[in-house]
Coordinates of all heavy atoms in Angstrom, one line a residue:
F36 N 13.8 8.2 17.2 CA 13.6 7.0 18.0 C 13.7 7.3 19.5 O 14.7 8.0 19.9 CB 14.6 6.0 17.5 CG 14.6 4.7 18.3 CD1 13.5 3.8 18.1 CD2 15.5 4.3 19.2 CE1 13.5 2.6 18.7 CE2 15.5 3.1 19.9 CZ 14.4 2.2 19.7
D37 N 12.8 6.8 20.2 CA 12.8 7.0 21.7 C 13.4 5.8 22.4 O 12.7 4.7 22.4 CB 11.4 7.3 22.2 CG 11.3 7.5 23.7 OD1 12.4 7.5 24.4 OD2 10.2 7.5 24.2
P38 N 14.6 5.8 22.8 CA 15.2 4.6 23.5 C 14.4 4.1 24.7 O 14.4 2.9 25.0 CB 16.6 5.0 23.9 CG 16.9 6.2 23.0 CD 15.6 6.9 22.8
G39 N 13.7 5.0 25.4 CA 13.0 4.6 26.5 C 11.8 3.7 26.2 O 11.6 2.6 26.8
S40 N 11.0 4.1 25.2 CA 9.9 3.2 24.8 C 10.2 2.3 23.7 O 9.5 1.3 23.5 CB 8.7 4.2 24.3 OG 9.1 4.8 23.1
G41 N 11.3 2.5 23.0 CA 11.7 1.7 21.8 C 10.7 2.0 20.6 O 10.6 1.1 19.8
L42 N 10.1 3.1 20.6 CA 9.1 3.5 19.6 C 9.4 4.9 19.0 O 10.3 5.6 19.5 CB 7.7 3.4 20.1 CG 7.3 2.1 20.7 CD1 5.9 2.2 21.4 CD2 7.2 1.0 19.6
W43 N 8.7 5.2 18.0 CA 8.7 6.6 17.5 C 7.4 7.3 17.8 O 6.4 6.7 17.9 CB 8.8 6.5 15.9 CG 10.2 6.3 15.4 CD1 11.1 7.3 15.1 CD2 10.9 5.0 15.2 NE1 12.3 6.7 14.7 CE2 12.2 5.3 14.8 CE3 10.5 3.7 15.4 CZ2 13.1 4.3 14.4 CZ3 11.4 2.7 15.2 CH2 12.7 3.0 14.7
P57 N 1.9 5.6 20.3 CA 2.8 5.2 19.2 C 2.5 3.7 18.8 O 2.1 2.9 19.6 CB 4.1 5.3 19.9 CG 4.0 6.4 20.9 CD 2.6 6.2 21.4
G58 N 2.7 3.5 17.5 CA 2.3 2.1 17.0 C 3.5 1.2 16.9 O 4.7 1.7 16.9
R59 N 3.2 -0.1 16.6 CA 4.3 -1.1 16.5 C 4.2 -1.8 15.2 O 5.1 -2.6 14.8 CB 4.2 -2.1 17.7 CG 4.5 -1.4 19.0 CD 4.3 -2.4 20.2 NE 4.8 -1.8 21.4 CZ 4.1 -1.1 22.2 NH1 2.9 -0.7 21.9 NH2 4.6 -0.6 23.3
A65 N 6.5 1.0 14.6 CA 7.9 0.7 14.6 C 8.4 -0.3 13.6 O 9.5 -0.2 13.0 CB 8.3 0.3 16.0
A66 N 7.6 -1.4 13.4 CA 8.1 -2.4 12.5 C 8.2 -1.9 11.1 O 9.2 -2.2 10.4 CB 7.1 -3.6 12.5
I69 N 11.4 0.4 11.0 CA 12.6 -0.4 11.0 C 12.8 -1.1 9.7 O 13.9 -1.0 9.1 CB 12.6 -1.4 12.1 CG1 12.6 -0.7 13.5 CG2 13.7 -2.4 12.0 CD1 12.4 -1.6 14.7
E73 N 16.0 -0.2 6.9 CA 16.9 -1.3 6.5 C 16.9 -1.5 5.0 O 17.7 -2.2 4.4 CB 16.7 -2.5 7.3 CG 17.0 -2.4 8.7 CD 16.9 -3.7 9.5 OE1 16.3 -4.6 9.0 OE2 17.5 -3.7 10.7
R81 N 22.0 2.6 14.5 CA 21.5 1.6 15.5 C 21.3 0.2 14.8 O 21.0 0.2 13.6 CB 20.2 2.0 16.2 CG 20.3 3.2 17.1 CD 19.0 3.5 17.8 NE 19.1 4.5 18.7 CZ 18.9 5.8 18.4 NH1 18.7 6.2 17.2 NH2 19.0 6.7 19.4
N82 N 21.4 -0.8 15.6 CA 21.0 -2.1 15.2 C 19.6 -2.3 15.7 O 19.4 -2.5 17.0 CB 21.9 -3.2 15.7 CG 21.4 -4.6 15.4 OD1 20.5 -4.8 14.6 ND2 22.0 -5.6 16.1
Y83 N 18.6 -2.4 14.9 CA 17.2 -2.4 15.4 C 16.7 -3.9 15.5 O 15.5 -4.1 15.8 CB 16.3 -1.6 14.4 CG 16.6 -0.2 14.4 CD1 17.4 0.4 13.4 CD2 16.0 0.7 15.4 CE1 17.6 1.8 13.4 CE2 16.3 2.0 15.4 CZ 17.1 2.6 14.4 OH 17.3 3.9 14.4
G84 N 17.5 -4.8 15.2 CA 17.1 -6.2 15.2 C 16.6 -6.7 16.6 O 15.5 -7.2 16.6
P85 N 17.3 -6.4 17.7 CA 16.7 -6.8 19.0 C 15.4 -6.2 19.3 O 14.5 -6.8 19.9 CB 17.8 -6.3 19.9 CG 19.1 -6.3 19.1 CD 18.7 -5.9 17.8
R86 N 15.2 -4.9 18.9 CA 14.0 -4.2 19.1 C 12.8 -4.9 18.3 O 11.7 -5.0 18.8 CB 14.1 -2.7 18.8 CG 12.8 -1.9 19.1 CD 12.6 -1.8 20.5 NE 11.3 -1.3 20.8 CZ 10.3 -2.0 21.4 NH1 10.4 -3.2 21.7 NH2 9.1 -1.4 21.6
L87 N 13.1 -5.3 17.1 CA 12.1 -5.9 16.2 C 11.6 -7.2 16.9 O 10.4 -7.5 16.8 CB 12.7 -6.1 14.9 CG 11.8 -6.6 13.7 CD1 10.7 -5.6 13.5 CD2 12.7 -6.8 12.5
E88 N 12.5 -7.9 17.5 CA 12.1 -9.2 18.1 C 11.1 -9.0 19.3 O 10.4 -10.0 19.6 CB 13.4 -9.9 18.7 CG 14.4 -10.3 17.7 CD 14.0 -11.4 16.8 OE1 13.2 -12.3 17.3 OE2 14.4 -11.5 15.7
Q89 N 11.0 -7.8 19.8 CA 10.1 -7.6 21.0 C 8.7 -7.1 20.6 O 7.8 -7.1 21.4 CB 10.7 -6.6 21.9 CG 12.1 -7.0 22.4 CD 12.8 -5.8 23.1 OE1 12.5 -4.7 22.9 NE2 13.8 -6.1 23.9
L90 N 8.6 -6.7 19.3 CA 7.4 -5.9 19.0 C 6.1 -6.7 19.0 O 5.0 -6.2 19.3 CB 7.6 -5.2 17.6 CG 8.6 -4.1 17.6 CD1 8.7 -3.6 16.1 CD2 8.2 -3.0 18.5
D91 N 6.2 -8.0 18.5 CA 4.9 -8.8 18.4 C 4.3 -9.0 19.8 O 3.1 -8.8 20.0 CB 5.2 -10.1 17.8 CG 3.9 -11.0 17.7 OD1 2.9 -10.5 17.1 OD2 3.9 -12.0 18.4
A92 N 5.1 -9.4 20.8 CA 4.5 -9.6 22.1 C 3.9 -8.3 22.7 O 2.8 -8.3 23.3 CB 5.6 -10.1 23.1
E93 N 4.5 -7.2 22.4 CA 4.0 -5.9 22.8 C 2.7 -5.6 22.1 O 1.7 -5.1 22.7 CB 5.0 -4.8 22.6 CG 6.2 -4.9 23.5 CD 7.3 -3.9 23.2 OE1 6.9 -2.9 22.4 OE2 8.4 -4.0 23.7
L94 N 2.6 -5.9 20.8 CA 1.5 -5.6 20.0 C 0.3 -6.5 20.4 O -0.9 -6.1 20.4 CB 1.8 -5.8 18.5 CG 0.7 -5.3 17.5 CD1 0.4 -3.9 17.6 CD2 1.3 -5.6 16.1
R96 N -0.3 -7.4 23.4 CA -0.8 -6.8 24.6 C -1.6 -5.5 24.4 O -2.6 -5.2 25.0 CB 0.3 -6.6 25.7 CG 0.9 -7.9 26.2 CD 1.8 -7.6 27.4 NE 2.8 -6.6 27.1 CZ 4.1 -7.0 26.7 NH1 4.4 -8.3 26.6 NH2 5.0 -6.1 26.5
E97 N -1.0 -4.7 23.4 CA -1.6 -3.4 23.2 C -1.7 -3.2 21.7 O -0.7 -2.7 21.1 CB -0.7 -2.3 23.8 CG -1.3 -0.9 23.7 CD -0.4 0.1 24.3 OE1 0.9 -0.1 24.4 OE2 -0.9 1.2 24.7
V115 N 4.3 -7.6 11.5 CA 5.4 -7.6 12.4 C 6.2 -8.9 12.4 O 7.5 -8.9 12.3 CB 5.0 -7.3 13.9 CG1 6.1 -7.3 14.9 CG2 4.3 -5.9 13.9
A119 N 10.1 -9.7 11.0 CA 11.1 -10.3 11.9 C 11.6 -11.6 11.2 O 12.8 -11.9 11.3 CB 10.5 -10.6 13.2
R122 N 14.1 -10.9 8.5 CA 15.4 -10.5 9.0 C 16.2 -11.7 9.6 O 17.4 -11.8 9.5 CB 15.2 -9.4 10.1 CG 16.4 -8.6 10.4 CD 16.1 -7.5 11.4 NE 17.1 -6.5 11.4 CZ 18.3 -6.7 12.1 NH1 18.5 -7.8 12.7 NH2 19.2 -5.7 12.1

Side-chain angles (χ1 to χ4, degrees):
F36 179 73
D37 177 8
S40 67
L42 301 172
W43 280 265
R59 295 175 172 85
I69 291 170
E73 295 186 343
R81 292 183 176 89
N82 172 16
Y83 294 97
R86 182 70 191 108
L87 190 58
E88 296 287 331
Q89 302 166 342
L90 291 176
D91 176 61
E93 296 175 10
L94 189 57
R96 292 194 300 269
E97 185 182 24
V115 173
R122 198 177 194 282

